Amino acid sequence: MAAKWRPLIDKITGEFTKSLLVSAWFMFLTFPLMVIKVRPLERTIEWRWMNLVYIGVGAFFLSFIWRYLMSRKDGGGSEEEGESWQKKAGLRIRTDKKIYLPGLAAVVAFIVIFPFIFSGYQTQIMISALMYVMLGLGLNIVVGLAGLLDLGYVAFYAVGAYCYALLNHHFGVPFWIALPLCGALAALFGILLGFPVLRLRGDYLAIVTLGFGEIIRLILENWNEFSFGPSGIAGISRPDFFGMELSLREHTIYLYFIIVMLVLFTILVVSRLRNSRIGRAWIALREDEVACQAMGIDKTKTKLTAFALGATWAGLVGCIFAAKTTFINPASFTFMESAIILSIVVLGGMGSIVGVMIGAFILILLPEYLRAFSEYRMLAFGAAMVLIMVFRPQGIISGIRQRYEFHRAGQPEGTR
Amino acid sequence: MKPTKPALDVRALKMDFGGLRALDNIDLQIYHGEIVALIGPNGAGKTTFFNCITGMYEPTGGDMIINPVEREPVRINRLKPNVVTEHGLARTFQNIRLFHKMTVLENVMVARHCRTKAGIAGAIFRDPKTRKEEKEMVDFSYGLLDKVGLGQFVNELASELPYGAQRRLEIARAMATEPFLLLLDEPAAGMNPKETNELDRLIMRLRNEENISILLIEHDMKLVMSISDRIYVLDYGKMIAQGTPSEISEDPKVIKAYLGETFDA
Ligand SMILES: Nc1ncnc2c1ncn2[C@@H]1O[C@H](COP(=O)(O)OP(=O)(O)OP(=O)(O)O)[C@@H](O)[C@H]1O
Ligand SMILES: [Mg+2]
């Protein structure tokens, strides 16, 4: 009887001592900072021993919980279960009309009335969240599908924004004409970046694309005659609505619906691309470059289409960004931006559309509503990222592949 | 029976890695409809030979020429791997290289890439032509999977298949590129005797029904002896013997190279 419990008791005592050690270590580390308080003016030292106790107890419990969760995770089983549960739920939601239709109707209704029931400020935040959804879905093509780690994605965003800003500033080109041009120009830049990095993979590719992003930003910052340098471009026109005069609020609502339509368009295109001849080639490239080439896929072409198509979305969003803020300068296109977009893709789940959308909402809306916590905002954000990456390394939602139903041998029928 | 021109004609092939000569003056011919085996001790250079003819390595010297049926001969030196595949050479890998996170069906569909056309516009608008091509691709791939006995696994992820099935999926995937010469790198490695038996029959069936030639690297001598028409033996980068299974199993040079290993033809 006792022998049966022996391993468990050993394990718990083991974890207990380990957690004690962790808490002691933390108390030692934070001692100078949290316990000793020197008042130079009064020339006194205050010893705040209570802080030491708080840290000790806190570190002990956190470490214990962490160890418990980790052991559960490594124990396996539970994760597999979670995965198949997700699969089943996903399939159910997509196939069962009773769940699917009312859900869809509710979502559509909410999206339509959103800008009318919430304030202009809320709508603005929603617009930027939706912009990041589009950026995330675009980068998802490059990183999630084709597996090319691109840390300079913001460069294409900048290209789109400056394309519209400059065209509008110099020639008064309206938004709707500039939008496709921005997409096309960004695609061109995608190919331009693609060529030199064709042979690179993984870390090397990441470094070079990072450099590319910085180069574009530095050019914009320093080439005053072309881009007006750090002072940027102001007075960019908002999207025109059949030549009618709109108030600021109406403009916001209009822009909201533009971005909603564009997000829907993006989802449609990306989901179709994903299950197409080209999309499968991207995924094959991600999975195994050597085998992919051996199966007759042109690596060069496939990589370039991924870069170009990914960049197109950044260009489109850049154009919207310029139209939304009516003012742009290079400070909006720093590496931080690329990092956030990449985080959206990784956090949401590489290759998954719903995952990327959830990722974008979490990463953009959460910090917005966490403003109350002001300085702890980024800390909480970082902690959330680390936790998700430890417990769901594949992202919140992992990409699901299309299923095909075959009714009789030789009589296949694709289900879309 | 043998037509005049070999399907694959390799002459004086050399491959150097720095100072190491991995392949030294290799001559090898495969005629249409033949099953040829390439054997040799570990590190003899068999996989290197495959990598050379499939364009993954650029050989240091020699000629590699293919003569597809009813088409002009092509010299395949310096061609990219995907172009070689388009010309009708398809291979499998010694260490399985499937696309793990794709379904079994998709693995085969990927290999149809070089025989289909749909572009970005087709993917986005899904016009009738693209839909038809896609449907044909699905049908074709399913047919192939059925043929290698993986019909019930179409929607599984490739990584979830049992080992033997993964090897067969690699063969189906290679077949989907419609090759006239199939290159198999140790297809029976890690299989149990029952699976090896099935593989034996599968290879024979592919040759007979699909009108292809097969070059296989294999360590399982029973399999090699039972299915090959001819055997080439490679040792330390040199071709030390070639001939029918019975000739090879009596060749003293081969027995010496394989000292310790027994033949049971
Ligand atoms: N890319 C490479 N760079 C340097 N040396 C290589 C390379 N590829 C193969 N070699 C060397 O070439 C020789 C032949 O290797 P190869 O893989 O062709 O052997 P093999 O006959 O396939 O052996 P096995 O039966 O173990 O698969 C070995 O000595 C190997 O170390
Ligand atoms: Mg080998």
Side-chain angles (χ1 to χ4, degrees), chain B residues 41-48 50 91 94-95 185-186 217 219:
Chain B
N42 289 108
K46 305 176 298 292
T47 301
T48 305
F50 266 27
R91 69 172 293 178
Q94 182 172 353
N95 319 309
D185 197 344
E186 302 198 15
I217 297 175
H219 283 300

Side-chain angles (χ1 to χ4, degrees), chain A residues 272 276-277 280-281 283-284 287-288 290-291 293-298 300 401 403-404 406 410 412 416, chain B residues 56 80 82 85 91 97 100-101 105-106 109-110 113-114 116-118 123-124 126 134 137 139 142 155:
Chain A
R272 286 192 160 190
S276 71
R277 174 173 172 268
R280 282 187 296 267
I283 300 172
E287 292 292 298
D288 191 324
V290 172
Q293 265 188 302
M295 289 308 122
I297 290 171
D298 188 340
T300 311
R401 297 306 308 161
R403 298 178 63 83
Y404 293 84
F406 295 91
R416 287 285 173 196
Chain B
M56 292 168 66
K80 281 206 222 156
N82 58 303
T85 307
R91 69 172 293 178
R97 304 193 82 134
H100 292 292
K101 283 188 190 150
L105 188 73
E106 282 176 326
M109 286 166 77
V110 164
H113 191 94
C114 60
T116 46
K117 288 200 189 61
I124 296 173
R126 290 211 174 139
E134 188 84 4
M137 199 189 299
D139 289 355
Y142 181 74
N155 287 321

Side-chain angles (χ1 to χ4, degrees), chain A residues 192-267:
Chain A
L192 277 183
L193 166 67
F195 265 113
V197 301
L198 278 173
R199 296 167 155 274
L200 303 179
R201 242 191 291 185
D203 314 1
Y204 301 99
L205 177 68
I207 298 292
V208 175
T209 49
L210 178 92
F212 181 77
E214 285 301 285
I215 288 171
I216 295 274
R217 187 179 61 82
L218 288 173
I219 289 176
L220 292 174
E221 209 149 89
N222 292 299
W223 192 3
N224 288 326
E225 301 77 43
F226 172 72
S227 63
F228 302 97
S231 50
I233 304 168
I236 305 164
S237 326
R238 294 200 161 85
D240 47 315
F241 187 63
F242 303 110
M244 271 165 28
E245 281 290 314
L246 297 182
S247 70
L248 186 61
R249 172 115 175 93
E250 285 164 341
H251 259 304
T252 308
I253 293 175
Y254 179 43
L255 199 65
Y256 171 83
F257 283 107
I258 292 176
I259 188 87
V260 166
M261 293 323 280
L262 282 173
V263 166
L264 290 179
F265 175 66
T266 312
I267 294 172

